[in-house]
Amino acid sequence: MLTISHLSKTFNPGTVNEKRALTDLTLHLDPGDFVTIIGSNGAGKSTLFNAIGGSFLSDRGSIVLDGQDITVAPEYRRARSIGRLFQDPMKGTAPGMTIEENLTLAAGSGGWFSRLSRADRARFREKLALLEIGLEDRMRQPVGLLSGGQRQSLALLMATMVPPKLLLLDEHTAALDPSAAEKVLRLTREIVAEHRLTTMMITHNMRQALELGNRTLMMDSGRIVLDIGGEERAGLTVDDLLKRFRTGAGKDLDNDRILLSD
């Protein structure tokens, strides 16, 4: 489904601010893989997502999604096949537009909003009802009036309204309170399972990284230092994961946010 080969990216090359963000990174995902990714700040996690999503062009390497080479494809074209949620709940929705208008854009229903059919509106209500937060009765309300958890739930629904070939979740529950985060995570599990979405999720929670999905990656200095799945991953503890990181990276993980997470 996704094949990344020898991907490298350096920002501000030849200057005092030079930063090697990705180093000869190679990765393959099969259809339906749900991969969790963990690593310290600056490890290259979000940079990898930005490279896949087309926020910039890599210096070298290739990205192939579902048999199509998207290495130099513009971001807007990749967005047709890639759904993405960010840490900031404000990034995935248009706050000045209503819930109904946001869903119309996500669904690609086309035309002006007044042309929406009854079937479209009924489908939107049905999808919103699955969130169990009452948004199906507030479809004409501006999204900017919603809470962070409500907006992130809506953003998740929008990103998967038309099931993407690849779903990228960039710490999408990190900015939410524990109750809202738990609800969004539950919705994530359900939607990914329902559509069998190929998914990559960045998390700072090591226990979550072992419990969710079928595979865990750890990154450091723009490289993948651990890639584990199947029965081998099923028996791992957080302490085991830290030991594996030490072996792969040649140093201890020193990120307090990760180490102190539940």
Side-chain angles (χ1 to χ4, degrees):
M1 173 56 74
L2 175 69
T3 300
I4 299 171
S5 302
H6 304 290
L7 201 67
S8 294
K9 179 65 180 180
T10 299
F11 294 104
N12 305 310
T15 73
V16 296
N17 295 318
E18 180 173 309
K19 169 65 175 176
R20 182 175 295 179
L22 297 173
T23 304
D24 197 36
L25 188 147
T26 293
L27 175 66
H28 176 76
L29 270 64
D30 290 324
D33 269 350
F34 185 165
V35 178
T36 57
I37 305 173
I38 199 161
S40 299
N41 293 337
K45 307 181 301 297
S46 292
T47 304
L48 174 59
F49 276 20
N50 287 335
I52 295 170
S55 299
F56 56 76
L57 296 180
S58 56
D59 298 333
R60 62 184 297 266
S62 64
I63 305 172
V64 177
L65 179 62
D66 196 24
Q68 299 294 315
D69 190 331
I70 62 170
T71 308
V72 297
E75 188 171 15
Y76 74 90
R77 286 189 179 173
R78 302 190 201 197
R80 298 171 185 171
S81 301
I82 299 173
R84 188 170 182 182
L85 264 71
F86 300 87
Q87 181 174 334
D88 184 353
M90 307 305 162
K91 285 188 175 182
T93 53
M97 299 170 67
T98 67
I99 293 172
E100 179 180 273
E101 290 168 346
N102 272 267
L103 289 173
T104 301
L105 291 177
S109 297
W112 297 98
F113 304 122
S114 59
R115 296 180 182 177
L116 274 181
S117 66
R118 289 184 178 179
D120 284 331
R121 289 194 170 91
R123 180 163 66 101
F124 292 166
R125 286 185 59 86
E126 181 180 356
K127 292 288 186 180
L128 288 168
L130 296 176
L131 303 181
E132 299 180 356
I133 50 178
L135 295 187
E136 67 273 16
D137 297 321
R138 303 163 63 184
M139 288 175 57
R140 300 297 178 89
Q141 182 174 346
V143 169
L145 298 180
L146 303 181
S147 68
Q150 290 171 330
R151 285 186 69 162
Q152 200 69 311
S153 297
L154 178 62
L156 177 60
L157 181 60
M158 290 171 61
T160 56
M161 177 72 72
V162 178
K165 294 178 179 178
L166 178 67
L167 179 62
L168 303 178
L169 305 173
D170 193 347
E171 293 200 77
H172 68 305
T173 63
L176 307 179
D177 65 72
S179 176
E182 183 178 351
K183 180 169 289 188
V184 171
L185 203 57
R186 175 183 59 79
L187 290 169
T188 301
R189 290 176 187 261
E190 293 173 356
I191 289 174
V192 168
E194 177 187 358
H195 298 291
R196 301 185 66 183
L197 297 177
T198 304
T199 304
M200 301 175 71
M201 187 183 87
I202 296 172
T203 178
H204 67 273
N205 188 306
M206 299 188 73
R207 192 176 306 280
Q208 199 176 83
L210 288 172
E211 292 175 350
L212 288 173
N214 66 311
R215 188 171 161 195
T216 296
L217 306 181
M218 294 192 80
M219 293 186 65
D220 180 66
S221 301
R223 300 177 297 122
I224 295 173
V225 298
L226 177 67
D227 183 351
I228 189 169
E231 293 183 5
E232 186 181 10
R233 189 189 82 142
L236 285 184
T237 65
V238 170
D239 286 340
D240 292 332
L241 202 57
L242 290 172
K243 292 175 183 176
R244 294 290 189 98
F245 178 86
R246 185 185 305 119
T247 299
K251 62 181 181 181
D252 289 325
L253 184 66
D254 61 357
N255 186 284
D256 288 343
R257 183 183 180 201
I258 295 174
L259 295 174
L260 297 176
S261 64
D262 290 332

